[in-house]
Amino acid sequence: MFEARSIQAKIGLQLLVTLLAIPYLLPLVAMVQGSLAGKGWGNFEAVLAVPGLWQFFLSSVIISASVIAIVYVVTMLASFGFAKLHIRNKEVYFWLLLACLTLPEVVLLAPLFATAISLGVYDTYWSVILPLAALQVPFAVLLARNFIDGIPNELFEAARVDGANSFRGFIYLVIPLTRPIAAAILIFTLIGAWNNYLLPLVFLQDPAKQTITLLPSYFIGQFSNDQTKVLASAVLTAIPEVLAYLFLQRLFERGLAAGAIK
Amino acid sequence: MVATTLQTPPTRQVPSDEPALKRRPHRLSPPGLPWILPALVLSVGLIYYCIGYTGVISTWDWDGISPNPEQVGLENYLKMVNSPVFWGAIWHTIVFFVVTFTAQTVLGLLFAVLLHSQVKLAVVYKVIVFVPVVLAPAIMAPVFRQFYGADGQFNWILEHIGLGAITQPWLGQSSTALWVLMAVAVWQWTGLTFVLYFAAMGQIDQSVLEAARIDGAGNIRTIVSIIWPGVRGTTVALAMLGAIGALKTFDLPWLITVGGPNGATEFLGTIIYRQTIPNYHVGYGAAVSIVLLVLALAMAILLQVRGREKVTVD
Amino acid sequence: MYTAHRSRRKLRAAAIIAAGVTSALILSACAGGGGGGGAEGEADSGTLNWWGWTPDISVGQAYIDAFNEEYPDITINYKQVPIEDWEAALRPALASPSGPDIFAMQPGARVEAFKSFAEDLTPLAEDTLGEDWEDKVSAIGVEGLSADGKLTAMSIGATYAGSVWINQDLFDKYNLTPPTTLDEWVDVCAEFKANGVGCFVQGASQEGFDQDTLQAISDSIEPGVWTSASKGDTPWTDPTIVKTLETWKSLFENGIMQDGAIGYAQYPDANNDFMSQKYAMVQMGTWYMQYATTAGQTAAIEAAGVADPKPFPIVPIPFPDVTGSGNPAAYYGDSDYGLALNTKSKNKAAARTFISWLTATEAGQQVVADKLNDIPALLGVEPNWDSIEQPFPDVQREPVQKLIADASASSESRFLYLNQDVQDAILAACTSVADGSATPEEAAATLDAAAVASRS
């Protein structure tokens, strides 16, 4: 966008972007630095020695994977419906769905608790998976609907002429074509599910079902608070998400570029 | 809502054909209601049920445990309107939204433009700016408590770049604590703004840019008159998401300042949590929740309508 | 009423809402009902879940290990929940059919909130200690944990505040003696500052620790007023309270409180600054004795981010007489926590075995005493100093023993009479006076209004 013809201008641009990026890097440096203060790598050893750590990790994986699966299926179906199929009062439904974006999580606690007990899902993964998925779907539909809107109608019409029904059209056209936006949905849903603290805290009490976000609480007591190990657990918790982003970065950007919000 | 105005559906582009086009989907598109039903049941069902439930509770004086809550009508709402803490939270929300939205827009746009230019190692910068989006506020809160602490890294940096005179306990003063939270929010969310602008800029017709350059438009001129209008849809969407986000703000003030010092970083979210959970005023918390929902919806509609107006003016 | 059914749809909607509300009511009724379920199980075997915001996991595990030496067939899983999240986690857990068997109970507001879920432990206390059990345990642990004539939990021990801890090395290095008056305190702070050392550090963003300081000041002006105001017998606008807030303000103006104190948390901020020797004094109570041990202090220094931790002598002193009234420094405390038995527990007999062992037998209470976190509830049990390794026993043992003796002699409570609303209001008063947005009179009036409102 910026045009930089001379060498000086090029260096100038590079310098500018570097200066702007440094403030974003500093807190990350501070985090790693803090996690190595005091005992150094011993902090990480202490975190890794927390009994049941792998169980927490597994719980987080189970919850995140289930939320991603549910959000993906539900979102893709709905986005296809919103983008390409006939629905009376379509925009009313869409509004209804998007209005869910305004709901803060804490509002859910009291009603969800009553519901979870009556359905007998309290202290099961479902009591965390379902509300998390419900909270993630609106934003995911917003992203995916725009993306599918951008797929030319002719493709679907051609498929229909060939005798494919909507479902086949969905499976053979939508699913493969939406891989980039699926990557974006995966990242956003992973962030939402993996980072969540409140729902597992309230709805899961079996020690074997604890999630990884409860890890720092092992180092915070009434009269003690070991920040070095809290930060070490923060670093360890963040690694899977950062890795997921790095692996999917290309696809993720393409997904947002070819539709998303604009 | 966002989608329809942000990306105008093809049918709207040819107004003269309106009646014919309106029928067209009927003929060509099979019914889609079953397709959106799972999403509606899951999100709309669950969430609206919770909103209804919260609405009912908001007329109770209830501790969340007692079997006989007392019906108090609108008393919780009255108490709220008379509470300076509530109005403080509203004011903080407004400041928070205006400042963080402006800063994120400027920074996000700048990063997007720069990384669309011939910059080396663009991928590294992208990752640095986006990684904060991935990290949970709960993960970063202790880092920022330290970073902006009286002898934290921020003051250390100020001292080493010759600004030692302005070092202060940033989190320990009612006058500066909100600014710290806003700085953290900008740090965390610029990545999202950036990625969306970066994507939107990719869609701007290169030939228009070329033409402008041939006409002698400079860098600044190009940004103002071509790029900025070209990404307006994204800006409107981000404004709406930002407004909703500002109203829902909870994690950062709760985890970094606990609403303090002296209530300087109290938000609706922190009031709801404090009243509902540790203070057992579940009814009052529900009343604040309902007000939050109404405000968020109103903001969303307002921004949407405003955004639409601008499009038609152009 | 039936004339109103204009359309079926409306009626149906009303029915759905009504059903939703009713089910919510029924559920909350169940939640509050207490009586449901529960089973005795075996007294010497089974698996128990124990929840608390305290003790730390390592301490909790040490209690369990010691218990298992006597009762190897009872397995106990201890889960620590951060105190900020205690309500959020415990309320639903107790309302559900699968909550913890044993949960920690804090005296005061939480007893009100959770008493319906707790079994009366009076019979257990009688079984363990005899009919005169109340004479054998510290009274402070009984009053605060009783409600509606039932003992909701058995106290493990008490913590008391009112003391200040100093870094003796820093005082020696600059040839200073611990302050006993406001003037001495100001001088000491000026001297430390001149040498680039912080003087006094407090996490003034946290209500509990502010309250400890206020109560110390108030008690030095006029003993008893603070407690009376806490109970609602004296208005918070009482001249003693106003003077307390004025004195509090002077701590900020005289350079005693560190800069930015109202943004500091006691843990980790103030504690870390003291442990990394950036500050020479900190306001901490009897629970801080656990850091006057070699192991406790080494870990705390390391947690403060110091790479090569070396203990230094920390010593408790009485709170300086900042108003010059000549009243002796006061100590005030509560039961740190009691162990409560969930009425829905499926292993009540085993849970009783553990609760009585830890809170009412000499073996259990000795383990508690030796951790130096709580002053044991069972009278006559004292830390076994021969088995506790202190880094500087010559300087530390005697002041610590004196602290235990002085504190346990006190019957003044700390949090017992204050609910969360009043505690929030006390914090608001402290911070608004400290940052100058309210005068002590105004702050006292606001505090009193909040306290009155919370009682109505």
Side-chain angles (χ1 to χ4, degrees):
Chain A
M1 296 276 155
F2 267 140
E3 257 197 337
R5 297 217 173 107
S6 62
I7 244 318
Q8 286 98 323
K10 278 190 181 145
I11 294 175
L13 278 187
Q14 196 78 35
L15 216 59
L16 180 63
V17 73
T18 309
L19 276 180
L20 282 173
I22 285 178
Y24 288 85
L25 195 59
L26 285 176
L28 300 174
V29 174
M31 171 171 160
V32 175
Q33 203 183 23
S35 71
L36 290 171
K39 264 191 167 162
W41 292 106
N43 295 325
F44 285 90
E45 279 163 27
V47 175
L48 291 173
V50 166
L53 175 77
W54 299 109
Q55 189 63 46
F56 304 163
F57 186 81
L58 189 66
S59 296
S60 283
V61 170
I62 291 173
I63 290 174
S64 304
S66 315
V67 173
I68 290 171
I70 292 176
V71 169
Y72 177 74
V73 171
V74 167
T75 300
M76 282 305 157
L77 290 174
S79 310
F80 180 58
F82 278 123
K84 297 294 176 195
L85 301 178
H86 171 71
I87 300 168
R88 204 188 296 165
N89 299 327
K90 186 190 276 188
E91 296 312 318
V92 174
Y93 290 121
F94 198 61
W95 263 95
L96 272 177
L97 193 59
L98 287 188
C100 299
L101 279 175
T102 58
L103 194 82
E105 195 179 48
V106 55
V107 174
L108 294 173
L109 290 185
L112 276 185
F113 175 68
T115 320
I117 293 271
S118 66
L119 295 179
V121 295
Y122 179 76
D123 201 20
T124 67
Y125 287 132
W126 289 112
S127 60
V128 174
I129 292 170
L130 288 177
L132 274 176
L135 286 168
Q136 298 289 331
V137 163
F139 187 65
V141 170
L142 173 64
L143 289 178
R145 179 190 176 171
N146 273 324
F147 189 91
I148 299 178
D149 265 336
I151 302 176
N153 280 332
E154 289 72 24
L155 275 180
F156 295 98
E157 279 157 24
R160 214 165 288 140
V161 169
D162 288 349
N165 59 17
S166 322
F167 188 70
R168 289 179 66 91
F170 177 73
I171 297 288
Y172 293 109
L173 282 173
V174 177
I175 298 295
L177 285 174
T178 51
R179 272 182 52 217
I181 199 68
I185 291 173
L186 192 151
I187 298 268
F188 283 117
T189 311
L190 176 68
I191 294 172
W194 188 266
N195 288 344
N196 195 278
Y197 176 76
L198 203 54
L199 292 172
L201 175 78
V202 172
F203 289 108
L204 298 177
Q205 43 172 309
D206 180 352
K209 295 194 190 95
Q210 305 299 298
T211 57
I212 198 103
T213 38
L214 300 181
L215 196 53
S217 67
Y218 275 76
F219 305 102
I220 301 174
Q222 185 185 16
F223 300 127
S224 64
N225 189 330
D226 189 338
Q227 288 290 296
T228 59
K229 296 187 185 67
V230 168
L231 291 182
S233 31
V235 171
L236 289 176
T237 311
I239 286 176
E241 294 173 288
V242 175
L243 286 182
Y245 165 65
L246 290 180
F247 278 126
L248 293 173
Q249 196 218 0
R250 274 263 175 81
L251 214 51
F252 172 75
E253 250 172 49
R254 256 207 295 152
L256 292 181
I261 309 177
K262 57 174 188 204
Chain B
M1 63 199 164
V2 174
T4 42
T5 50
L6 300 180
Q7 182 171 316
T8 328
T11 42
R12 297 247 175 94
Q13 283 170 354
V14 199
S16 58
D17 285 351
E18 195 84 50
L21 282 167
K22 261 204 172 154
R23 272 199 310 277
R24 241 181 78 193
H26 239 311
R27 188 161 40 83
L28 287 177
S29 314
L33 198 59
W35 295 78
I36 62 168
L37 216 53
L40 290 179
V41 170
L42 180 66
S43 291
V44 177
L46 194 69
I47 287 172
Y48 284 77
Y49 159 70
C50 292
I51 294 175
Y53 188 105
T54 306
V56 173
I57 295 177
S58 74
T59 63
W60 295 352
D61 179 7
W62 191 37
D63 62 1
I65 294 174
S66 139
N68 348 298
E70 191 191 338
Q71 312 283 332
V72 293
L74 295 178
E75 199 180 287
N76 287 322
Y77 292 91
L78 278 177
K79 224 197 280 177
M80 175 179 68
V81 177
N82 288 321
S83 150
V85 179
F86 170 74
W87 292 108
I90 296 279
W91 173 241
H92 301 149
T93 306
I94 295 171
V95 174
F96 186 88
F97 169 62
V98 171
V99 172
T100 57
F101 174 67
T102 312
Q104 281 168 42
T105 305
V106 171
L107 286 166
L109 207 62
L110 209 53
F111 273 118
V113 169
L114 285 169
L115 294 178
H116 264 302
S117 315
Q118 310 102 311
V119 167
K120 304 259 180 255
L121 294 173
V123 115
V124 175
Y125 296 104
K126 273 185 210 165
V127 169
I128 291 175
V129 177
F130 195 79
V131 161
V133 178
V134 178
L135 301 176
I139 290 180
M140 293 310 295
V143 179
F144 282 107
R145 281 191 57 81
Q146 228 171 57
F147 194 77
Y148 288 102
D151 47 2
Q153 289 95 332
F154 186 65
N155 278 341
W156 184 88
I157 292 165
L158 288 179
E159 268 164 31
H160 284 75
I161 56 172
L163 291 171
I166 63 161
T167 59
Q168 47 196 302
W170 301 96
L171 284 168
Q173 304 172 132
S174 354
S175 51
T176 50
L178 187 59
W179 290 93
V180 172
L181 293 187
M182 294 191 288
V184 175
V186 171
W187 177 83
Q188 180 151 38
W189 292 113
T190 304
L192 186 63
T193 310
F194 153 72
V195 165
L196 293 177
Y197 275 137
F198 188 80
M201 280 177 201
Q203 312 280 299
I204 294 176
D205 197 344
Q206 286 300 315
S207 59
V208 180
L209 281 174
E210 304 279 321
R213 296 236 188 265
I214 291 166
D215 288 350
N219 284 331
I220 304 293
R221 188 73 214 279
T222 321
I223 294 185
V224 172
S225 52
I226 297 176
I227 299 178
W228 176 242
V231 298
R232 189 183 24 244
T234 307
T235 311
V236 172
L238 284 169
M240 199 192 66
L241 291 175
I244 294 174
L247 280 163
K248 283 164 69 173
T249 303
F250 165 66
D251 302 37
L252 290 182
W254 188 253
L255 295 169
I256 297 181
T257 54
V258 207
N262 195 18
T265 54
E266 206 71 73
F267 282 80
L268 293 179
T270 56
I271 296 179
I272 294 172
Y273 190 83
R274 190 194 306 280
Q275 294 293 341
T276 309
I277 310 280
N279 291 20
Y280 297 95
H281 301 310
V282 178
Y284 185 81
V288 181
S289 309
I290 294 292
V291 168
L292 190 160
L293 286 172
V294 171
L295 288 176
L297 272 182
M299 279 306 288
I301 295 170
L302 189 79
L303 282 165
Q304 212 39 51
V305 172
R306 291 276 300 166
R308 201 179 297 216
E309 270 168 12
K310 276 192 185 161
V311 174
T312 48
V313 167
D314 268 12
Chain C
M1 197 180 158
Y2 287 106
T3 52
H5 60 95
R6 296 225 176 85
S7 78
R8 264 190 192 178
R9 205 183 286 171
K10 264 190 191 157
L11 197 67
R12 208 185 307 150
I16 290 171
I17 293 172
V21 173
T22 320
S23 60
L25 280 171
I26 292 169
L27 285 161
S28 53
C30 293
E40 282 298 313
E42 299 293 323
D44 51 9
S45 66
T47 300
L48 299 172
N49 286 310
W50 165 27
W51 284 20
W53 69 91
T54 191
D56 286 356
I57 290 170
S58 60
V59 176
Q61 197 53 51
Y63 293 165
I64 293 169
D65 291 346
F67 173 73
N68 282 152
E69 280 173 21
E70 243 175 278
Y71 298 93
D73 297 331
I74 299 180
T75 309
I76 301 176
N77 301 313
Y78 173 58
K79 173 169 159 179
Q80 189 188 21
V81 179
I83 190 152
E84 308 86 65
D85 301 325
W86 182 244
E87 260 86 11
L90 188 68
R91 244 191 293 180
L94 289 180
S96 83
S98 51
D101 303 283
I102 299 168
F103 59 97
M105 184 79 100
Q106 190 177 40
R110 288 193 172 124
V111 171
E112 266 318 294
F114 297 124
K115 63 185 177 191
S116 57
F117 303 107
E119 187 167 284
D120 183 11
L121 294 181
T122 317
L124 181 61
E126 283 170 355
D127 282 355
T128 319
L129 295 169
E131 288 294 322
D132 57 344
W133 64 276
E134 285 197 64
D135 301 333
K136 296 183 181 165
V137 294
S138 160
I140 216 159
V142 177
E143 189 199 352
L145 292 170
S146 299
D148 308 344
K150 86 179 186 187
L151 184 64
T152 63
M154 286 175 71
S155 171
I156 189 162
T159 52
Y160 297 83
S163 50
V164 169
W165 289 74
I166 63 165
N167 178 337
Q168 190 66 51
D169 268 2
L170 287 175
F171 273 81
D172 291 347
K173 185 171 172 192
Y174 301 109
N175 244 334
L176 296 166
T177 47
T180 56
T181 66
L182 186 64
D183 289 344
E184 288 177 21
W185 204 354
V186 172
D187 292 345
V188 162
C189 284
E191 186 64 26
F192 275 127
K193 274 191 191 153
N195 288 290
V197 178
C199 178
F200 176 73
V201 64
Q202 169 152 1
S205 75
Q206 287 181 307
E207 194 276 337
F209 302 97
D210 287 0
Q211 187 190 315
D212 289 342
T213 303
L214 291 188
Q215 196 164 353
I217 299 170
S218 180
D219 281 347
S220 96
I221 301 169
E222 180 69 55
V225 175
W226 183 269
T227 305
S228 172
S230 304
K231 285 178 175 167
D233 297 339
T234 300
W236 289 99
T237 46
D238 187 273
T240 303
I241 304 294
V242 175
K243 183 148 188 237
T244 301
L245 288 168
E246 276 166 14
T247 312
W248 163 262
K249 188 176 173 62
S250 74
L251 298 183
F252 288 81
E253 286 166 347
N254 289 334
I256 290 173
M257 282 278 179
Q258 86 278 18
D259 286 343
I262 57 172
Y264 257 62
Q266 190 83 344
Y267 294 92
D269 307 339
N271 180 49
N272 281 357
D273 279 359
F274 183 72
M275 281 298 169
S276 52
Q277 307 204 52
K278 288 178 187 151
Y279 284 83
M281 304 172 76
V282 68
Q283 207 261 38
M284 295 278 191
T286 55
W287 61 85
Y288 221 55
M289 297 185 303
Q290 61 187 298
Y291 299 117
T293 63
T294 309
Q297 198 182 10
T298 308
I301 296 174
E302 220 161 39
V306 177
D308 182 20
K310 284 200 183 58
F312 52 90
I314 61 166
V315 176
I317 62 164
F319 195 86
D321 178 11
V322 286
T323 55
S325 60
N327 290 317
Y331 295 94
Y332 27 85
D334 300 305
S335 164
D336 188 13
Y337 61 101
L339 295 182
L341 172 55
N342 186 348
T343 49
K344 292 177 198 155
S345 163
K346 304 274 190 297
N347 294 294
K348 285 186 184 176
R352 283 196 203 99
T353 307
F354 179 65
I355 294 174
S356 68
W357 181 84
L358 190 59
T359 64
T361 68
E362 293 209 4
Q365 285 279 287
Q366 189 63 51
V367 184
V368 172
D370 290 349
K371 286 289 167 195
L372 292 181
N373 194 338
D374 299 304
I375 295 175
L378 192 63
L379 298 177
V381 177
E382 276 173 17
N384 180 7
W385 292 104
D386 295 335
S387 73
I388 297 169
E389 194 196 333
Q390 288 193 302
F392 304 94
D394 305 347
V395 220
Q396 289 179 311
R397 183 151 310 166
E398 200 234 300
V400 169
Q401 280 171 335
K402 184 168 166 15
L403 176 66
I404 294 177
D406 290 349
S408 8
S410 160
S411 59
E412 188 177 331
S413 351
R414 201 167 155 227
F415 293 114
L416 185 53
Y417 305 111
L418 298 167
N419 68 23
Q420 197 61 48
D421 289 325
V422 181
Q423 292 187 25
D424 286 357
I426 292 176
L427 177 64
C430 288
T431 51
S432 61
V433 166
D435 80 355
S437 57
T439 64
E441 288 82 9
E442 288 164 0
T446 315
L447 165 56
D448 193 55
V452 169
S454 89
R455 276 197 295 273
S456 67

